[in-house]
Amino acid sequence: MIGVRESCFMVFPPNSDAAILKDLFNSFKPDSPLEPGDPRYVDFQEVRGDEDILTELGGYILKEEDNTYQLYSGHRGSGKSTELKRLAAYLERQGCVVVYFAAATEDAGDLSFQDTQYQDILLSCTRQLLEKLQDDVDYSPIWHWLEARWETLKELALTDVSLNQINIQVAIPLLSKITAAVRTEPNKRDEIRKLVEANTESLVKALNAFIDNAKQQLKSGNNRIVIIADNLDRIAQIEEPDKMTNLEEIFINRSELMRSLNCHMVYTAPISLLYSRSASNLQDIYGKPQILPMVMVQNRDGEAVDEGIQQLRLAMERRVMEQVDGLSLVPDVFEAEAVVVLLCLSCGGHLRDLMHIIRNAINRTSELPIRMKQVKRAIADFRPAYLDAVLEHEWDLLFQVHQNKTRLNDLDGLYRALLGRRCILEYRFFDEVEEDVVRWYDVHPLIRGSKPFRERWAVFSKGDSEG
């Protein structure tokens, strides 16, 4: 008789195709950033504009005598979290104390994607700092700040602990409860923001006193403390007529607060913000932001870029080797190199899309190797979501991008919106003749390869040539 536990999971014979496919399916998880030192990591620097996060962001942190406040951006799913974790490990090896945290994920974290304000980010930094440094640093400045507002916190039902019981074991769970309420309870969220808004100056003062204590007490001998706040690029943009967007309010209007902590800060920011009317203001405030582009698998003329394809192939191969020793990418997993090339070209160099498509192909396969038919069907499954993201009035914009390989800074932000939805992808390469980094854009291959795009493109091209 099959027990309850056994009935919940399908058990496959070891080394069977079904067992291997299950292992491969889990090796290509699209939403799991790679940890530093993971053997599956591939350095795409050469096919991403020849920029490296360790130099672009890390170099400033290590060389600058004053605190730095920097922005990091790119399309969602491009690999930013993996790169930021790599940066954190590198800085720690240089003796820095690094507080890395994902401020929000799909099901956890401190922030609400749909409603985030600067007070929420400050509270999140407070909790993460205290949690990271609790065993080494005098936390009394933060303790006293909470202590002075204890009755208000009790009124909000955020604590039932008496004032004389407060200590580090109480403070950290309390801050976790506060940030959880900010994320999940809209009514309490507003009240907590009012509390922080009225006491922002004192909270910043308490945090900086705590940070200064840390710099004096930490045993590393390095007084560089770095906070890396990941996933802030997931904050949804809210627009109101004749007003700044919520993103501009956070990163520009409240930039004094975002730059108020006495340590180095790295914030992720939405790519749509970095290409908005606020771009020059952001650069004045935070310095030149680094943007992680797509892996270049085709050039501007539509010709395949072998180096980019080979790097993506290596990423697939390493995930296979890590999961199933002795299994080759071709012909054991995929039947032919043409299948691998199709996967690389169809994702447009977007890593998360590549992982999704591969998992879908694996799910459609009952025995190895995976055939071209399964991959084509998997690609077709992901195409409708991108087509649905294109509004009727946006088709001509896509055609102009595809034709010219450029993106305009339009007043209405239509191109930025398409960029934010990944209907338009950004690529970069270093032109050695011009000695400059070239940025160019194209429509996502899942849209370009669709019948609606081909039919509309034929009409657009004909009208353009006749005009």
Side-chain angles (χ1 to χ4, degrees):
M1 178 179 293
I2 298 176
V4 174
R5 179 177 177 85
E6 292 178 319
S7 65
C8 295
F9 302 95
M10 187 173 292
V11 179
F12 303 111
N15 300 320
S16 67
D17 278 6
I20 293 171
L21 285 166
K22 180 181 177 182
D23 289 339
L24 291 174
F25 184 85
N26 287 288
S27 183
F28 284 93
K29 287 183 178 179
D31 300 317
S32 301
L34 299 181
E35 297 296 329
D38 192 308
R40 295 173 293 176
Y41 177 78
V42 174
D43 185 357
F44 293 106
Q45 179 179 342
E46 293 296 325
V47 285
R48 275 183 158 166
D50 200 30
E51 293 186 359
D52 180 32
I53 194 171
L54 305 189
T55 301
E56 300 297 323
L57 299 185
Y60 274 84
I61 291 169
L62 294 174
K63 294 181 179 72
E64 178 58 64
E65 292 180 353
D66 300 321
N67 293 319
T68 61
Y69 305 91
Q70 302 183 78
L71 299 182
Y72 188 59
S73 189
H75 292 290
R76 284 189 60 184
S78 58
K80 294 188 301 299
S81 294
T82 293
E83 292 300 311
L84 286 170
K85 285 174 174 283
R86 179 169 162 255
L87 172 65
Y90 168 73
L91 292 173
E92 286 178 341
R93 290 197 299 272
Q94 307 306 312
C96 299
V97 176
V98 182
V99 182
Y100 167 88
F101 64 99
T105 61
E106 296 295 344
D107 56 1
D110 296 335
L111 307 181
S112 166
F113 288 147
Q114 303 306 318
D115 181 11
T116 296
Q117 295 183 12
Y118 71 95
Q119 301 100 322
D120 313 342
I121 298 171
L122 184 61
L123 280 172
S124 185
C125 289
T126 303
R127 182 177 81 82
Q128 297 291 341
L129 269 169
L130 191 59
E131 197 164 283
K132 172 80 175 184
L133 303 175
Q134 60 177 297
D135 296 329
D136 303 296
V137 179
D138 175 12
Y139 61 90
S140 60
I142 295 177
W143 177 349
H144 293 320
W145 190 88
L146 290 169
E147 191 176 48
R149 290 144 192 89
W150 206 251
E151 290 306 315
T152 303
L153 295 172
K154 290 181 72 173
E155 289 173 10
L156 290 172
L158 293 170
T159 183
D160 55 5
V161 176
S162 64
L163 191 57
N164 60 7
Q165 291 178 287
I166 186 170
N167 54 42
I168 190 66
Q169 284 71 37
V170 171
I172 291 178
L174 173 58
L175 283 167
S176 296
K177 194 171 183 179
I178 291 172
T179 55
V182 168
R183 176 183 170 87
T184 60
E185 300 180 51
N187 293 334
K188 287 185 180 179
R189 182 185 303 156
D190 292 338
E191 293 301 317
I192 292 168
R193 284 173 179 166
K194 290 177 184 176
L195 172 65
V196 176
E197 174 74 21
N199 297 276
T200 298
E201 185 177 349
S202 60
L203 177 55
V204 169
K205 186 176 180 180
L207 273 170
N208 281 333
F210 176 72
I211 291 169
D212 290 343
N213 288 345
K215 290 179 178 179
Q216 294 174 15
Q217 294 174 239
L218 289 172
K219 301 174 183 177
S220 66
N222 194 322
N223 64 355
R224 295 181 189 273
I225 294 177
V226 185
I227 297 178
I228 301 176
D230 195 3
N231 288 1
L232 298 183
D233 58 307
R234 301 187 183 193
I235 300 172
Q237 179 168 297
I238 301 172
E239 297 187 45
E240 295 182 38
D242 303 319
K243 287 186 178 181
M244 275 189 154
T245 67
N246 62 318
L247 298 176
E248 290 170 321
E249 175 68 20
I250 291 170
F251 287 97
I252 295 177
N253 260 17
R254 300 294 182 170
S255 62
E256 185 177 348
L257 179 67
M258 300 290 277
R259 292 168 48 91
S260 62
L261 298 187
N262 188 22
C263 62
H264 296 274
M265 300 288 306
V266 175
Y267 297 109
T268 49
I271 192 170
S272 58
L273 177 66
L274 269 61
Y275 286 138
S276 71
R277 62 193 174 187
S278 301
S280 59
N281 287 336
L282 288 167
Q283 182 161 291
D284 286 342
I285 295 167
Y286 301 98
K288 183 183 80 70
Q290 188 186 9
I291 296 175
L292 186 66
M294 297 295 96
V295 175
M296 198 164 71
V297 291
Q298 286 182 299
N299 62 23
R300 289 177 293 183
D301 297 325
E303 299 167 340
V305 175
D306 185 63
E307 186 177 1
I309 292 172
Q310 290 304 314
Q311 290 294 86
L312 285 182
R313 188 191 190 284
L314 180 60
M316 289 186 257
E317 191 171 54
R318 287 183 176 177
R319 287 176 182 267
V320 169
M321 292 170 59
E322 180 70 11
Q323 201 66 36
V324 186
D325 189 34
L327 205 65
S328 65
L329 189 66
V330 177
D332 294 338
V333 176
F334 297 104
E335 65 174 347
E337 287 292 340
V339 180
V340 174
V341 172
L342 178 63
L343 283 165
C344 296
L345 295 177
S346 296
C347 75
H350 186 272
L351 293 172
R352 185 176 293 172
D353 281 352
L354 176 64
M355 301 300 163
H356 275 302
I357 294 169
I358 291 174
R359 278 164 65 93
N360 195 10
I362 292 171
N363 191 49
R364 293 185 169 280
T365 302
S366 58
E367 60 180 25
L368 291 170
I370 300 170
R371 309 290 180 183
M372 178 70 83
K373 180 180 179 180
Q374 277 100 9
V375 169
K376 286 184 175 180
R377 180 60 192 276
I379 292 168
D381 282 348
F382 276 84
R383 185 166 283 132
Y386 277 98
L387 291 174
D388 289 343
V390 181
L391 304 179
E392 188 62 31
H393 67 277
E394 294 174 327
W395 280 102
D396 278 359
L397 304 181
L398 292 180
F399 298 146
Q400 290 166 21
V401 171
H402 182 55
Q403 183 179 58
N404 302 317
K405 302 300 186 287
T406 59
R407 172 199 55 82
L408 299 179
N409 287 324
D410 57 313
L411 184 63
D412 296 327
L414 297 176
Y415 288 93
R416 291 196 306 276
L418 287 166
L419 193 69
R421 283 179 255 146
R422 299 198 306 278
C423 298
I424 297 173
L425 300 178
E426 176 179 339
Y427 300 90
R428 296 187 182 192
F429 67 92
F430 184 74
D431 188 326
E432 295 187 6
V433 175
E434 296 294 333
E435 297 183 343
D436 197 7
V437 174
V438 178
R439 299 187 303 180
W440 63 278
Y441 305 83
D442 205 350
V443 179
H444 196 299
L446 290 177
I447 298 175
R448 292 202 322 261
S450 69
K451 184 177 179 182
F453 184 91
R454 293 195 304 270
E455 291 177 345
R456 290 169 182 256
W457 172 253
V459 175
F460 175 86
S461 301
K462 183 179 179 181
D464 190 61
S465 61
E466 290 176 353

